[in-house]
Amino acid sequence: MSDVIDRDVKVKLAAWGAWTRNTGSGQGCSSPAQALINCAPVCDSDYKRYARYEAFEHISDEEALEVERAMAKLKRYSARLDVAMGVMLELELADDNLLMCNLMYPVLRDHFRGDESFSHIARELTKSIGKKITDVKVKAIMERGAGFIEALLMS
């Protein structure tokens, strides 16, 4: 049962990410037909060097805004941990749990909204934090963040 729920929240996050990328004018995906038009092959030679289809399920504006509110709560939660994170890195303490909780928002944002790979996110986090982060750790952080969002959406 938890795999189905976990898959559902990831599908909803992927649809939310596509919805946020398509809301340049602030209107969102207004219809399933518009969503089909928006998922035409993407090929941007400056950024990604391959054409692909964005396969995502349609998400209504109400559902997308629910996910957006949950992501805002996660962002506030991560911001509160930022001070503790700075002290931890300054004193060179090894608290992986605090690190994972602090990085949940940036990982979810970059993966679902920015459509970044786990290895790219790991490289960027390693540069910004100064501590080695692997793509396996990024996947674990993403799983924890998806669980956090799932709990917020269920409540």
Side-chain angles (χ1 to χ4, degrees), residues 106-119:
V107 167
L108 286 177
R109 180 197 61 214
D110 292 348
H111 182 68
F112 289 110
R113 183 184 276 175
D115 198 26
E116 299 291 343
S117 68
F118 293 126
S119 58

Side-chain angles (χ1 to χ4, degrees), residues 6 10 13-14 47-48 50 103-127 132-146:
D6 190 39
K10 287 180 185 174
L13 281 167
Y47 183 62
K48 302 220 182 213
Y50 54 89
L103 296 177
M104 285 188 302
Y105 176 76
V107 167
L108 286 177
R109 180 197 61 214
D110 292 348
H111 182 68
F112 289 110
R113 183 184 276 175
D115 198 26
E116 299 291 343
S117 68
F118 293 126
S119 58
H120 179 77
I121 294 170
R123 282 193 305 272
E124 293 300 316
L125 287 175
T126 300
K127 286 180 196 173
K132 178 67 176 161
I133 306 289
T134 64
D135 58 338
V136 175
K137 174 86 68 177
V138 170
K139 287 177 189 175
I141 293 169
M142 199 257 322
E143 293 292 330
R144 187 176 285 192

Side-chain angles (χ1 to χ4, degrees), residues 17-111:
W19 180 83
T20 59
R21 288 191 298 274
N22 290 331
T23 58
S25 62
Q27 297 172 354
C29 292
S30 56
S31 69
Q34 183 64 41
L36 287 173
I37 291 169
N38 291 340
C39 72
V42 174
C43 186
D44 185 357
S45 61
D46 292 334
Y47 183 62
K48 302 220 182 213
R49 300 198 182 272
Y50 54 89
R52 62 180 167 72
Y53 286 95
E54 289 185 15
F56 64 89
E57 292 186 9
H58 174 71
I59 187 168
S60 68
D61 287 341
E62 291 80 23
E63 289 176 317
L65 290 173
E66 284 178 16
V67 175
E68 187 76 30
R69 281 190 289 274
M71 287 295 288
K73 285 183 183 179
L74 178 59
K75 184 178 182 179
R76 285 193 302 271
Y77 175 72
S78 293
R80 279 187 262 146
L81 293 174
D82 220 13
V83 174
M85 181 71 181
V87 172
M88 184 196 84
L89 290 174
E90 190 175 298
L91 299 176
E92 297 180 5
L93 302 175
D95 186 359
D96 278 350
N97 192 35
L98 179 63
L99 178 69
M100 290 177 78
C101 289
N102 192 15
L103 296 177
M104 285 188 302
Y105 176 76
V107 167
L108 286 177
R109 180 197 61 214
D110 292 348
H111 182 68

